[in-house]
Amino acid sequence: MLNAFKLIWNFSSKRKKEYRNAIIFSFLEGLFLMAKMFAVIIAIYALFGRYPLSNAVIAVFALAVLYIVGVFIFSYKMQLTSMSAGFGMVGDKRFEFGEILKNAYLGFFDNFSVGRINSVLTTTLSEIETSAPSALIRVVGGVLGTVSLMIGLFFYEWRIALISLLGMAAYLLVVNWQIRVSRRDAPKRSEAQSKLSAAALLFLQGIKVTKAFSFKNGDRRLKDAIQGSCNENIALSSGSIPSQIAAGVVLSIFETAIIFTSVFGYTEFDIYSVEKCLVLIILSFMAFSSMNQAGSVLSMIGILDSALKETYSLTQMEQIQVASPEQHIASDEIIFEDVSFSYGDNEVLSHIDTAIKAGSFTAIIGPSGSGKTTLCQLIPRFFDVNKGRILIGGADIRHVPTEELMSKISVVFQKVYLFEDTILNNIRFGKPTATLEEVRAAAKAARCDDFIMALPEGYDTLVQEGGNNLSGGEKQRISIARAILKDAPIIILDETTSALDTENEHEVLAAIEELTENKTVIMIAHRLSTVAGADKIYVICDGQIAESGTSRDLLAQDGIFNRMWQNYQTSVQWKVAKEV
């Protein structure tokens, strides 16, 4: 239990002061139970003539008012402070995770599923947001409140205080059992929720395919994930129910023990007066009230423990580090020196040695899975090389500050992603300080100003998530406008026209011409017609540079490029024959 509280405390980070204040407020709220206890003692003693009735009425009324006002004030302050601390703590963590994710290698997202990340950032953090403050504050405050009440009891009747102390110890032992049970089962529940989140995302992303091909069975994975989540939640609840019941039974046993001790102390051993006996019987129902309130949230501790460990695992992803000594880019020349790279045990690139001149147009072609995209992704450090090094302007990119490196490179991906924001802000992503005039100039260069202005709200048109309300060609041109606005000297184009129709390809190629003017350009090409004019073409096969040269040089050889070119020409001339 203490380990779980330590995790919550460490997780709270800069909100520790708020939590400390909330615990103090909770403790002060508990202290006002003393006023309630004194009011009971005075009232009963007055009934038996041991205290003047008129004075008793005033004292009881004053203590009742003190109890009500004190509990209201400190309960309000405690809840408000704890709620603020919880929301603030998780808000801080979400910002922190955003920075961590931005600075992680792309390989992390292959190993750590998007569904799991989504589950941690939404469900898991929401659980922590609502449960952690209550667990920490209610339990610590409840224990402190119970201890303060027991201190008062020791001065009034030490035997009953001793029974209460034993009851608290027994109760905490049962609760510790409860925490162990939930700690054992909670990770399975978290895993099931991650699978459910991943399955839901997959189902929504593939809804078109599901409708087109397998409407009946397309949601089977989602159904299995829902059932799995349901089963794990039931298992967690079933495992914790016995310990929850046992915790309540323990408190009832010791409450009963206080009553029997009070009654027998009066009837059999004559150590209590009748009024003291009645006071102790009533106090038996008050002794564990704070602990009982704390116990209502203790069942969350195991789940919280699992949730905190899950979020902690997200912080352990490998971050891009800038090696010492720091180096700076002096030109746009890119050099690969004996570069090798593997995904796990699968070597994708092997001993790549080449130089890409500043201001040149370089094309990368090759069969699917040959390593073309990986080669280009190594340049902006989406991954780090396993062997060798990559230099830009004489600087090893592992020694270049990330912000400086990324300011030199623009990447236009094959699969364009647009944010759920205005078209203006999507283009402005390339340069957040750009004026509307600068954005429009970039859009005109990218051949997308006309269709944007034709939209009902022009540049203020809201793009649906992923750009689903725009065509593929429109999205591609907006992404090129974004790259033009960034105005980086090195441009990487990843098969930007492979999925476009002829009309859109023409517009996108015109936009690319504007983008790449006076730049160092590296293009991964699928359609060979787009690379015929390249200064140099690299043919990648089985992770190595199999051929290199201009298109004329390569066509003069009986090699891979020549065969690819012949196949391309055949496909261009191919037509579907009509039956007459």
Side-chain angles (χ1 to χ4, degrees):
M1 184 168 70
L2 291 176
N3 185 53
F5 286 140
K6 185 179 178 181
L7 282 173
I8 297 172
W9 186 252
N10 291 335
F11 190 83
S12 63
S13 188
K14 56 187 177 183
R15 304 288 169 171
K16 285 185 173 70
K17 184 178 179 181
E18 290 177 76
Y19 274 119
R20 193 179 296 115
N21 291 340
I23 289 170
I24 292 170
F25 293 142
S26 179
F27 173 64
L28 292 173
E29 178 192 358
L31 280 181
F32 279 91
L33 280 172
M34 302 284 284
K36 192 175 182 182
M37 184 175 74
F38 289 140
V40 169
I41 293 171
I42 291 171
I44 291 177
Y45 273 67
L47 286 174
F48 284 89
R50 298 290 188 91
Y51 200 83
L53 189 60
S54 57
N55 292 344
V57 170
I58 294 170
V60 170
F61 180 77
L63 288 168
V65 170
L66 181 65
Y67 170 74
I68 293 168
V69 172
V71 168
F72 177 83
I73 290 172
F74 288 109
S75 178
Y76 171 77
K77 283 183 170 293
M78 181 270 291
Q79 291 186 47
L80 188 64
T81 307
S82 66
M83 185 170 59
S84 172
F87 289 137
M89 171 185 73
V90 171
D92 294 339
K93 283 297 174 184
R94 286 193 172 111
F95 282 120
E96 181 185 330
F97 288 146
E99 292 302 315
I100 289 171
L101 289 168
K102 284 196 296 184
N103 202 41
Y105 290 102
L106 280 184
F108 172 81
F109 299 96
D110 294 331
N111 300 324
F112 201 108
S113 72
V114 173
R116 193 175 175 197
I117 295 172
N118 182 62
S119 179
V120 169
L121 294 180
T122 53
T123 306
T124 304
L125 282 179
S126 294
E127 284 180 349
I128 295 172
E129 188 174 56
T130 54
S131 303
S134 296
L136 181 63
I137 293 158
R138 282 292 181 191
V139 173
V140 176
V143 170
L144 291 175
T146 302
V147 169
S148 66
L149 188 64
M150 286 180 188
I151 291 170
L153 270 174
F154 267 109
F155 284 103
Y156 183 69
E157 173 46 52
W158 65 270
R159 300 174 188 84
I160 300 302
L162 191 59
I163 293 172
S164 299
L165 187 61
L166 290 171
M168 186 175 78
Y171 179 76
L172 290 176
L173 283 173
V174 174
V175 163
N176 202 46
W177 167 38
Q178 183 177 349
I179 290 169
R180 287 200 306 270
V181 170
S182 57
R183 184 179 286 152
R184 180 196 67 201
D185 294 336
K188 299 175 186 176
R189 172 180 173 269
S190 297
E191 185 65 28
Q193 286 180 325
S194 296
K195 288 180 180 178
L196 174 57
S197 182
L201 284 171
L202 187 65
F203 175 73
L204 291 173
Q205 290 168 352
I207 192 68
K208 290 180 181 177
V209 179
T210 298
K211 284 179 174 291
F213 292 97
S214 184
F215 188 80
K216 184 177 180 181
N217 298 316
D219 60 349
R220 184 166 299 283
R221 180 176 174 180
L222 179 59
K223 287 179 178 178
D224 291 342
I226 291 170
Q227 188 60 52
S229 177
C230 180
N231 292 341
E232 292 302 337
N233 275 291
I234 292 171
L236 179 63
S237 299
S238 300
S240 62
I241 285 172
S243 55
Q244 290 177 17
I245 295 172
V249 168
V250 165
L251 289 186
S252 298
I253 288 171
F254 281 91
E255 284 172 353
T256 305
I258 292 173
I259 293 171
F260 273 102
T261 302
S262 303
V263 171
F264 277 96
Y266 167 66
T267 59
E268 300 297 326
F269 301 102
D270 200 27
I271 56 177
Y272 302 137
S273 62
V274 64
E275 57 269 25
K276 192 169 186 177
C277 177
L278 287 173
V279 167
L280 293 174
I281 290 171
I282 292 171
L283 288 180
S284 70
F285 297 101
M286 296 172 58
F288 301 112
S289 59
S290 293
M291 281 301 301
N292 211 12
Q293 287 181 11
S296 65
V297 296
L298 276 170
S299 59
M300 305 175 190
I301 296 296
I303 296 172
L304 269 175
D305 184 66
S306 174
L308 289 165
K309 287 176 180 176
E310 184 82 358
T311 57
Y312 179 74
S313 70
L314 192 60
T315 67
Q316 297 308 295
M317 69 183 79
E318 187 180 1
Q319 298 287 279
I320 298 173
Q321 301 293 330
V322 178
S324 296
E326 192 173 287
Q327 298 177 14
H328 299 282
I329 296 171
S331 72
D332 302 332
E333 184 183 39
I334 304 169
I335 298 175
F336 290 78
E337 292 185 352
D338 194 29
V339 169
S340 296
F341 177 78
S342 301
Y343 294 111
D345 296 328
N346 178 31
E347 187 175 63
V348 180
L349 297 172
S350 178
H351 304 291
I352 301 294
D353 267 301
T354 192
I356 297 173
K357 293 180 180 179
S360 66
F361 172 23
T362 301
I364 311 289
I365 67 168
S368 296
S370 59
K372 306 185 298 296
T373 298
T374 301
L375 180 70
C376 292
Q377 287 180 339
L378 293 175
I379 298 171
R381 287 195 74 188
F382 289 168
F383 303 93
D384 266 342
V385 299
N386 299 127
K387 183 183 176 184
R389 62 178 186 160
I390 299 173
L391 306 175
I392 299 180
D396 186 332
I397 60 173
R398 291 170 295 191
H399 292 256
V400 178
T402 303
E403 190 172 345
E404 179 184 344
L405 177 65
M406 296 312 299
S407 70
K408 299 290 185 182
I409 302 170
S410 283
V411 183
V412 180
F413 298 98
Q414 178 185 9
K415 187 176 181 181
V416 176
Y417 185 86
L418 299 181
F419 295 96
E420 193 173 357
D421 202 339
T422 62
I423 290 177
L424 176 66
N425 287 336
N426 267 283
I427 297 176
R428 227 181 225 153
F429 203 76
K431 182 183 176 183
T433 58
T435 63
L436 177 60
E437 289 71 25
E438 289 176 310
V439 171
R440 286 204 65 183
K444 287 175 181 177
R447 306 296 194 274
C448 56
D449 180 70
D450 289 342
F451 84 76
I452 293 172
M453 293 303 294
L455 295 171
E457 296 179 70
Y459 282 82
D460 291 322
T461 300
L462 190 65
V463 177
Q464 293 177 5
E465 184 180 1
N468 290 332
N469 55 334
L470 299 171
S471 72
E474 289 169 343
K475 288 191 290 185
Q476 194 64 271
R477 278 177 273 168
I478 288 173
S479 75
I480 292 171
R482 187 160 58 193
I484 289 173
L485 190 63
K486 183 177 179 180
D487 196 28
I490 299 171
I491 309 294
I492 299 174
L493 303 168
D494 185 1
E495 301 196 79
T496 49
T497 64
S498 61
L500 301 179
D501 56 45
T502 305
E503 182 180 349
N504 271 307
E505 181 184 13
H506 174 75
E507 293 293 336
V508 169
L509 287 174
I512 288 174
E513 191 173 337
E514 291 281 353
L515 169 64
T516 57
E517 188 175 0
N518 301 318
K519 309 285 187 185
T520 301
V521 181
I522 303 167
M523 176 186 281
I524 301 171
H526 174 73
R527 296 181 181 177
L528 297 187
S529 59
T530 61
V531 303
D535 298 314
K536 197 164 191 178
I537 299 171
Y538 290 102
V539 180
I540 307 296
C541 187
D542 296 327
Q544 296 182 320
I545 298 176
E547 299 173 12
S548 65
T550 64
S551 59
R552 179 173 295 180
D553 295 335
L554 296 177
L555 285 172
Q557 304 171 22
D558 184 20
I560 299 171
F561 182 83
N562 191 308
R563 290 193 294 274
M564 291 178 70
W565 183 264
Q566 298 304 323
N567 291 336
Y568 170 71
Q569 292 299 318
T570 300
S571 67
V572 170
Q573 297 168 10
W574 182 83
K575 293 181 180 179
V576 177
K578 290 184 179 180
E579 290 185 7
V580 179

